[in-house]
Amino acid sequence: MSDLSDHKPDSQRPMLKVSNLTHRVSLETDTLTILQGVSLEINRGESVAIVGRSGSGKTTLLGLLAGLDTPSDGTVELDGAVISQLSEDERAKLRSRRVGFVFQSFQLLPALTALENVMLPLELGGFDSPKAKARELLERVGLGERLYHTPRQLSGGEQQRVAIARAFASEPAILFADEPTGNLDNRTGADVSDLLMALNREQGTTLVMVTHDERLAARCGRHFNIEAGILTEPSAAAQPEAVN
Amino acid sequence: MAASKKLMSVKRDWRERDVRVVLSALIIAVATVATIALFASQLQRTLVSSASSFLAADRQLEAENGRPIPESWMQEAEQRGLGTARMVEFSTMVYGAGNFQLVSVKAVNDHYPLRGEVEYQQGTDEPRQTVAHGPAPGEVWLNPRLLRLLELGIGDSLEVGNHELTISGLLVREPDGGFRMSSLAPRVMMHVDDVAATDVIQEGSRVEYVYLFAGEEAALNDYYRWLQPQLEPSHEWEGVRDGETFSRSLDRAERFLLLGGSLAVMLAAVAVAVASRQYALSQRDTVALLKTLGVSSQGIGRLYLRRLALWGIVGAIGGLVVALPLYWLLSSVLGDVLGRQIDYQFDPNALAPALLTALVSLFAFAYPPIRRLRNVPAMRVLRSQPGESGREAIPDLVIAVVAIFGLVWLYAREVSLVLSLLGGLALLLGTLALLGWLMVTTLRRISGGGNAWRLALVGLYRHRRASLSQIAVFAMTLMLAATLILVRTSLLDDWQAQLPEDTPNHFLINIAPQAVDEVDEFWAERGHPLEQLYPMVRGRLTELNGQPVKEAVTKEERVGALNRELNLTWMEELPDDNGIVAGEWFSEGQTDGVSIESELAGKLGVEVGDELGFTIGSEKVTETVTSIRTVQWDSMKPNFYMAFPPGGGLENMPATWITAFYLPADMKGQLNDFSRRFPTVSVLEIDHVIERIQEIVQQVTQAIEAILALILAAALVVMAAVVSATMQDRQREGALLRTLGGRQSLLVRSTMLEFALLGFFAGVLGVAAAEGAVWALQFRMFEGEFRWHWQAILPIPLISALVLALFGRWQLKPVLSVSPMLLLRRLE
C-alpha cells in the first residue's frame, strides 16, 4: 500500500466515487438492508447535500463515504483510494490528512479549551505551528476572545463554530457535515451555515453534507434525496442554484 | 501545553471522577501494603531485638555442668566477627551489717550485655539510668529489696565469700532477668574478675557459666554449625526464637497484618476494576473522535497504555508518600512504648510488594477494559453503537480472580488464607445468584405507582443487572471489612484473656511444706490471695520404656528438657488452662500414672501407655503415661511438663511448693515483710516482664487498628466507585422524573429506600460470607475457637443500609438543587 499521505491528488479524478454501495446489518432474527445500490460521483470543490428524513439511511451513508465504516458491498473511492480495501488504521491515516468533519452534536473534547480542540488535529497530523494556525482559525470564526474557554462555557452556536474551525484546520480535501445545524436554533443555524459555506469556498474544499433541512440543502451546489436506503438525484433542472 | 499532551496529563485526568477513584484506590493499596510491609519488618526487628534483650544477646550458650567451656570456642566466635560476653551465675550467702542472706549472683564481664540495657539507680532516691554495662571490678549492685533486707546503703560494703565489695548501685532491671527459675534468690550483680577472690566456687559447686553471642544471623548460624558437634548434653544453646513467652501473640499479630494487607489489596483491586471499567465506558466518545481525526488503533492503545503507566507512577509515588510518614508514626509510637530508640532501617525489600501491587492492580484490573477501547468504532461519532455484551468481560474476570489470589498468596504465602477468602467469595457469589433469581421472579410482579416502596422495588427490578453487580461489590467489600473486624476483635479478646489486668506477676518458690498454710494466710490477710499452690520436686527424665532416654531419642530430636532437671508435681485436678489431648486425667483415688505435656511428648515420641523413668536425687521412679495434655506456657502461672497424681510416686520425695499471685505495684513494700518472715522462700518478680508484654501487645493493637482504618478507607473508596458508576444514569432518571412532575419528597424517599435495600442485602450477604471466611481462618490460621459474632452480625446490614441510603441521597443532590432542564443539558 502506498503512503496515502503523500498521495498526489489527480485533479481530473472525482473526489469521491461510489459504486453500487449496499449496507446491511444483522439483527437477531433477520438482516436489515440500510443502503441499497447507491452510486454517485462528486467532483473536487463541489458542495453536495444529501437530504432525507430520520431513518432514511443518510447518516450510515455519510459514515461509509467518510471511511468511518466499511460497506457490505460496493466500493467507495475517496481521492483515489478505495476505502473498502484499506485497513482501519490506513483509513485513519487517510482521514487525518484528507478529511474533515462537522457533527450535529459538535463532538468537542470537554476537557480541552477551544484553542486546544482546534490544535488537536493539527498536532495529530504533524502540522507546523499548530497553535498559531488554530488561533488564526478561531479568530476567523469570530471566537478570538474565547480561545481559553472550555466547551461547557460556550453556547451551542459557539461550540459548533469551534468544531468548524477544527474541521478546516488541517485543510482537508473533503469535509463531511452531519446535520451541522441540527442542534441549533434557526438564527444561530443560519450563522453557522454561512460560516461553513464561506470557509468551504475560501479553502476550495469539497463539501458533503447530510441534513433534513431543505433550506440548508438549498445552499449546496447539488443535492440528492435518500429514502429507505435508496439514493436518487433529481434532474439537473430541479437542482438548486448555489446560493452565495 | 500541547493539546495532545494535555490529553495525557494526570492533572487533567484528576478532574475525572473515575480517574480519581482509580488513583485513590491505587494510592491506598500501595500505602497500605507499604505501611504494613515496612511496619511488619520493623516490628519483626524490634521484637526480635527486644526478645534478644531477654537473653542480653542474640544467642546464649549455657554450661550447666559447672565447668567453663574451652577458651578456643570463644576465640572462634570472635574470629568470626561475633560479639561475645561471659558471665557466671551461682547462689551464695552474702553478709553485710550483721545480716546474712542467700542471694543469686550474676558476675558479668565488661561486654555484658550485648543486647538490651541494664537499668540501675545510684541511690534509692536517684533517677533510674539505663547503661550497657555491669558494675566495675570491686563494686556490686544489689536488688533494691535486698538492700533493705540487709539494712545497707549505697557505699557500704558487702561480703561475698571471702571478698569485700562496695555497693555502688541498685539493680532495677537486667535485660536477661526474670525468667530463669534457677535465679530464685534476690539478685546481686558483680564483675566476673572478682569471682576468683570470693573463693565461693569450689569443686562441685552449683555454677552456671553462660556465654553470650551477638552478630549477623548468618554468622551466628555458621558458628553454631561449627560448634554443634562439640557440644555436650549439659551445654544448652538458646536463641531468641525458642522460649519466647509471647511469640505466639506476635505470630498472630504478624498474620493479622498479612491478612489486613491481603484484604487491602483485594479491596483496592475491586475499586480499580470498577472505576477503570467505568472510565473506559466514559472514554468511548473521545476514542471515536480521535479515530475520526485519524488516530490508529495502535495509537489509541499506546495513548492509554502510557496513561496507565503514568497512573501507576503517580499511584506508587502517592502511596509511598502516604506510607512513609505513617510508618514513621507507627514506629515512633512503638519506640515510645518500648522506651528506646527505634533504628529506622529503611528496608527497600519491603517496598517491593507495594509496587508489585500497583503494577498488578493496573495491569490485571484496569488494563483489560481500557485495552478494549481500541475496538471502539469510529462510527460512534455519528451514532451510538451497541455497548459491550458483558461476555467480553468474562476473560477479564478470570484474569482478575487469578491476579487477586496470586497477589494475596504472594503476599501472605498462606494457602489457607487464600482458600478461606476464596471460599467466602464463592459463598457470596452463590448466594448472590440465588438472590438475583429471587429478585427477578418476585419483583417482576410489582407494578409502579406513587408509593415510595413500590418505586424503590420497581427501581431495583429495573436496574437489576446494575443492582446485582452493586450488591456483589458492596457485599464483597463488606465481607472483607467484616472479616478484618471480626478477626481483630477475636484476636484482641484472645490477648486480653491471655494477659488480664490481674495476671500473676510474682512467683513464690521454695516454700517448705510446713510453711504452705502460713504463706497462704499471709497473703490472704493482705488481700492478695494466692493462686493454686503446687508441690515441686526436681528430677530428671532418664528412661523411656526401660531404655536410657538419651539412647531412645536420636540426637537431632534432643530436647532441652532432657538436659536439665525438670520440675515435677502432683495435682488432683487438671488446671483450667490445660487440656487433655490423649488418655484420661487421673480418676479419684488413683495413685499411679503420669501426665506429660503434649509438645514434649511429641518430641520424645511418647504415647499413652509408655513407661517413663525419673531419677530424683538418688531414687528412681517409674510410671506409665496415662494422659497427654496441652499447657499454656504463656499463662504466667506455674506450668509443669510432668504431673503425677496425689499419693503417687512423688509424695515421699523432698518437695517444696510453688505458687503465683498478683501484687499491684504500690504494694511491693509488702514483699519485704514477707521476706523477713519467710527468709527461705524465694520471690520471683516478673511484673516488669508482664508490663512489657502488655505494652507490646497494646502497641501491636494500635498498629492493627491503624491498618484497619486504612482498609475501611479503601472500602469507602470502593463504595464511592460503584455508586459513582451509575450516578449519571440515575441523575438523568431523577431529572426526568422531576420534569414529568414527580414530587421531590417521593424521589428522595424511593431512592433512599432503593439504596437502603441494596445496602441491606449486601450487608446480610457480606456478613454471612465474612463469617464463613472467619470460620475458616480461625480454624486454619489463628488456632482459635470459632464463635458466632451476633453483636457484629446484626448491626452491619443495618449500618450498610443506612450508609448506602445516605450515599443515594447525596448523589441525588444535584438532581434536587438544580432545575431539571439545566441538569438534563449538563448530562447531555
Side-chain angles (χ1 to χ4, degrees), chain B residues 592-614:
Chain B
D592 58 340
V594 64
S595 173
I596 178 170
E597 188 265 342
S598 61
E599 269 181 42
L600 179 62
K603 283 182 191 163
L604 296 175
V606 168
E607 284 169 18
V608 172
D610 283 346
E611 220 167 60
L612 302 182
F614 299 90

Side-chain angles (χ1 to χ4, degrees), chain A residues 132-145:
Chain A
K133 183 140 202 207
R135 184 192 291 268
E136 192 185 307
L137 266 162
L138 279 168
E139 276 162 9
R140 171 68 187 82
V141 300
L143 292 175
E145 307 289 302

Side-chain angles (χ1 to χ4, degrees), chain B residues 231-548:
Chain B
L231 293 180
E232 293 169 29
S234 58
H235 289 141
E236 193 167 356
W237 178 259
E238 227 186 313
V240 285
R241 278 287 168 191
D242 335 316
E244 268 170 53
T245 326
F246 49 101
S247 65
R248 203 164 62 99
S249 311
L250 295 179
D251 196 37
R252 290 195 196 182
E254 245 180 278
R255 279 158 185 265
F256 182 87
L257 290 178
L258 288 178
L259 175 68
S262 311
L263 296 186
V265 168
M266 290 178 78
L267 279 175
V270 172
V272 167
V274 171
S276 58
R277 185 177 156 78
Q278 200 52 35
Y279 173 76
L281 290 179
S282 76
Q283 288 296 300
R284 286 180 304 178
D285 287 340
T286 302
V287 169
L289 182 72
L290 289 175
K291 280 190 162 185
T292 307
L293 294 179
V295 180
S296 65
S297 317
Q298 286 101 318
I300 300 282
R302 275 198 301 275
L303 185 75
Y304 283 94
L305 201 62
R306 236 182 301 159
R307 170 170 277 161
L308 272 185
L310 218 59
W311 291 355
I313 292 168
V314 171
I317 293 175
L320 295 185
V321 164
V322 175
L324 292 178
L326 211 59
Y327 153 68
W328 178 81
L329 196 76
L330 285 174
S331 301
S332 70
V333 176
L334 179 70
D336 285 352
V337 168
L338 297 177
R340 58 203 175 90
Q341 207 71 38
I342 290 287
D343 69 292
Y344 292 99
Q345 271 183 35
F346 185 74
D347 181 3
N349 291 334
L351 296 183
L355 299 180
L356 192 71
T357 302
L359 211 66
V360 173
S361 303
L362 273 181
F363 287 91
F365 305 107
Y367 186 55
I370 288 175
R371 197 183 79 96
R372 281 200 303 277
L373 278 174
R374 295 191 310 185
N375 308 335
V376 169
M379 192 61 189
R380 196 184 156 84
V381 286
L382 293 178
R383 174 186 304 135
S384 74
Q385 301 283 307
E388 291 182 348
S389 65
R391 202 167 294 159
E392 289 134 7
I394 290 175
D396 295 5
L397 199 69
V398 175
I399 293 176
V401 168
V402 170
I404 271 190
F405 289 99
L407 218 49
V408 171
W409 186 80
L410 196 79
Y411 192 43
R413 302 269 174 176
E414 275 290 347
V415 179
S416 49
L417 172 61
V418 177
L419 290 181
S420 303
L421 293 178
L422 193 66
L425 279 184
L427 186 71
L428 190 147
L429 292 178
T431 319
L432 199 68
L434 190 73
L435 186 76
W437 174 80
L438 272 176
M439 207 157 97
V440 172
T441 48
T442 54
L443 294 185
R444 187 166 42 197
R445 299 199 195 108
I446 296 168
S447 53
N451 174 314
W453 266 102
R454 278 189 170 178
L455 265 181
L457 292 174
V458 168
L460 271 185
Y461 179 68
R462 215 173 30 232
H463 305 133
R464 59 190 173 277
R465 270 182 90 160
S467 302
L468 279 176
S469 55
Q470 278 176 342
I471 291 181
V473 175
F474 290 150
M476 220 177 327
T477 308
L478 287 169
M479 169 198 147
L480 298 178
T483 303
L484 210 57
I485 294 175
L486 294 181
V487 172
R488 168 199 164 269
T489 310
S490 69
L491 202 61
L492 296 191
D493 286 354
D494 216 48
W495 281 346
Q496 237 127 49
Q498 209 176 307
L499 284 181
E501 196 73 336
D502 54 354
T503 302
N505 55 3
H506 290 81
F507 278 81
L508 301 179
I509 303 161
N510 248 350
I511 307 170
Q514 62 275 17
V516 166
D517 290 342
E518 268 180 85
V519 168
D520 204 5
E521 233 166 71
F522 178 93
W523 289 113
E525 276 169 13
R526 283 161 181 77
H528 313 296
L530 302 178
E531 302 258 329
Q532 176 93 41
L533 280 133
Y534 297 96
M536 196 165 89
V537 177
R538 308 224 356 134
R540 279 176 194 269
L541 175 64
T542 44
E543 282 180 10
L544 184 53
N545 291 327
Q547 245 190 314

Side-chain angles (χ1 to χ4, degrees), chain A residues 1 8 36 47 65 70 112 118 121 148 197 207 230:
Chain A
M1 190 60 54
K8 295 276 179 276
Q36 189 148 29
S47 60
L65 297 183
T70 48
L112 301 186
V118 179
Y148 299 104
M197 290 301 172
L207 175 67
I230 295 170

Side-chain angles (χ1 to χ4, degrees), chain B residues 701-730:
Chain B
T701 305
Q702 279 175 359
I704 282 174
E705 275 164 1
I707 299 295
L708 190 65
L710 268 177
I711 308 268
L712 292 180
L716 277 179
V717 171
V718 176
M719 296 251 183
V722 176
V723 169
S724 79
T726 54
M727 194 136 156
Q728 275 207 353
D729 281 352
R730 282 173 192 273

Side-chain angles (χ1 to χ4, degrees), chain B residues 68-105:
Chain B
I69 61 167
E71 197 55 34
S72 60
W73 293 6
M74 295 303 275
Q75 283 162 1
E76 177 69 24
E78 280 153 22
Q79 269 167 23
R80 286 167 182 267
L82 297 176
T84 63
R86 58 190 81 199
M87 54 196 206
V88 185
E89 290 188 357
F90 55 91
S91 295
T92 185
M93 296 300 280
V94 293
Y95 176 76
N99 294 310
F100 281 101
Q101 178 69 40
L102 178 74
V103 299
S104 154
V105 176

Side-chain angles (χ1 to χ4, degrees), chain A residues 60 89 95 107 111 116 123, chain B residues 4 12 291 297-298 383:
Chain A
T60 305
D89 290 344
R95 285 196 296 271
Q107 299 283 10
E116 288 162 343
E123 288 177 0
Chain B
S4 49
R12 192 191 74 84
K291 280 190 162 185
S297 317
Q298 286 101 318
R383 174 186 304 135

